[in-house]
């Protein structure tokens, strides 16, 4: 059974249809890379998967349970109230809270979630909950090699450091599916390698990952499955070798020929 199943996802903004019926599955432990030209709908897909945008049509399931279903006829869609704990997103532009330290950026959302779960028992368990969440934050900062920056504010970090903090923050709620929206698009080459190394090390049987990226060499080496996205649809998908070495679609071949001249195939 697939960990993530997406069926016929559609999204329009006014008269412009951005997602035109997107369907795919993702297994536990699998890394899916989504490639394609800018403006093709890749970011909108991730935003719909993380409910920053609400799809007009379609269904999303995680581990066999429906977490989103559009009901049509003007009805509000069904959305699992706990779905945001199952999906995580790392943004292009980091989106850290500038008024909070690195550690506070990591602990804010889990504090809110745990307080809600504890209900009336929160007051008696407050110190225990805070201690546990802060310990987890420091563990994740160690994983991304930023332990010494726990009390630093985002404005004093490099772009690569901010993106690594964003990755640690996304892991705080232990999402089953972790999404990356072009995580290196605003970084110079040295910092790009730094962030891609962290993402590569996150590959684990415990989670699935979706990486929207223009780093084709990274996609080829790290992904288990690759989707070429064009004009709001999945134009072609397959293993990295199938897609990069022997593309079947002329659109895929043209895209790779245009941007992939430096690929080590």
């Amino acid at each position: 059974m697939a960990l993530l199943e997406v069926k016929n996802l559609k999204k329009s903004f006014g008269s412009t249809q951005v997602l035109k019926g997107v369907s795919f599955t993702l297994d536990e432990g699998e890394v899916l890379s989504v490639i394609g030209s800018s403006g093709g709908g890749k970011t909108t897909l991730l935003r719909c998967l993380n409910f920053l945008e609400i799809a007009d049509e379609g269904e999303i399931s995680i581990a066999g349970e429906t977490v989103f279903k559009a009901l049509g006829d003007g009805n509000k869609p069904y959305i699992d109230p706990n779905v945001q704990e199952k999906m995580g997103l790392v943004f292009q532009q980091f989106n850290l809270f500038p008024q909070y330290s690195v550690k506070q950026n990591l602990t804010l959302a889990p504090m809110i979630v745990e307080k809600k779960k504890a209900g009336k028992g929160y007051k008696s368990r407050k110190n225990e909950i805070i201690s546990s969440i802060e310990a987890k934050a420091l563990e994740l900062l160690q994983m991304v090699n930023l332990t010494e920056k726990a009390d630093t504010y985002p404005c004093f970090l490099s772009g690569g450091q901010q993106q690594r903090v964003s990755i640690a923050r996304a892991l705080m709620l232990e999402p089953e599916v972790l999404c990356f929206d072009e995580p290196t698009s605003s970084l110079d080459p040295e910092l790009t390698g730094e962030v891609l190394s962290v993402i590569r090390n996150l590959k684990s049987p415990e989670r699935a990952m979706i990486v929207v990226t223009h780093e084709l060499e990274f996609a080829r080496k790290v992904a288990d499955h690759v989707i070429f996205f064009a004009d709001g649809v999945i134009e072609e998908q397959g293993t990295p070798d199938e897609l990069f070495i022997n593309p079947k679609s002329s659109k895929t071949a043209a895209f790779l020929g245009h941007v992939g001249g430096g690929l080590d195939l």
Side-chain angles (χ1 to χ4, degrees):
M1 182 175 64
L3 174 62
L4 175 68
E5 187 172 7
V6 177
K7 297 179 182 178
N8 197 36
L9 217 60
K10 296 182 180 180
K11 177 64 180 176
S12 295
F13 296 96
S15 61
T16 303
Q17 189 175 23
V18 179
L19 302 181
K20 303 176 182 178
V22 177
S23 301
F24 66 91
T25 60
L26 182 62
D27 291 335
E28 192 172 33
E30 191 174 45
V31 177
L32 168 66
S33 283
V34 183
I35 63 173
S37 301
S38 297
K42 304 185 299 299
T43 292
T44 298
L45 173 62
L46 290 193
R47 290 179 66 83
C48 286
L49 292 178
N50 285 272
F51 305 99
L52 298 174
E53 302 286 353
I54 304 302
D56 302 319
E57 296 182 38
E59 185 174 342
I60 302 170
S61 300
I62 296 178
E65 295 185 8
T66 299
V67 296
F68 171 83
K69 187 172 184 178
L71 301 178
D73 297 325
N75 296 309
K76 285 188 176 182
Y78 166 74
I79 301 177
D80 182 339
N82 299 313
V83 71
Q84 289 183 325
E85 297 176 40
K86 301 176 182 180
M87 302 286 295
L89 176 61
V90 178
F91 299 88
Q92 293 182 39
Q93 300 297 331
F94 323 136
N95 284 21
L96 299 176
F97 297 109
Q99 71 272 34
Y100 295 134
S101 69
V102 164
K103 185 171 71 174
Q104 289 171 325
N105 265 278
L106 267 65
T107 59
L108 181 62
M111 291 288 192
I112 294 171
V113 170
E114 291 303 319
K115 185 174 182 179
K116 182 179 179 181
K117 286 181 179 179
K120 293 180 179 179
Y122 176 74
K123 189 173 181 180
S124 62
R125 297 184 54 219
K126 181 178 179 180
N127 290 338
E128 172 195 346
I129 290 172
I130 291 174
S131 177
S132 175
I133 290 174
E134 288 185 343
K136 185 176 180 180
L138 291 175
E139 179 182 330
L140 287 173
L141 287 176
Q142 183 176 26
M143 185 189 72
V144 297
N145 299 315
L146 287 173
T147 305
E148 75 284 358
K149 301 294 185 180
D151 297 318
T152 302
Y153 287 84
C155 63
F156 296 107
L157 301 176
S158 70
Q161 289 172 332
Q162 290 188 57
Q163 192 61 292
R164 284 186 281 153
V165 171
S166 297
I167 292 170
R169 181 178 63 178
L171 290 169
M172 281 294 294
L173 294 177
E174 299 181 350
E176 295 178 59
V177 182
L178 182 58
C179 304
F180 297 84
D181 185 13
E182 298 183 12
T184 61
S185 63
S186 60
L187 304 177
D188 63 36
E190 183 179 355
L191 298 180
T192 291
E194 177 184 294
V195 170
L196 292 180
S197 177
V198 169
I199 297 173
R200 184 181 293 109
N201 291 335
L202 289 178
K203 190 171 182 177
S204 165
E206 299 175 358
R207 71 177 66 88
M209 298 196 294
I210 302 174
V211 186
V212 169
T213 183
H214 290 298
E215 300 289 338
L216 300 188
E217 184 69 12
F218 173 81
R220 188 184 73 84
K221 290 183 176 179
V222 176
D224 301 291
H225 198 78
V226 181
I227 284 174
F228 173 61
F229 215 75
D231 301 321
V233 299
I234 296 175
E235 176 70 21
E236 186 172 353
Q237 59 182 308
T239 67
D241 282 350
E242 288 170 342
L243 213 74
F244 287 113
I245 296 176
N246 189 30
K248 296 178 175 61
S249 164
S250 59
K251 286 186 179 181
T252 309
F255 172 78
L256 294 174
H258 178 66
V259 301
L263 277 173
D264 178 15
L265 300 175

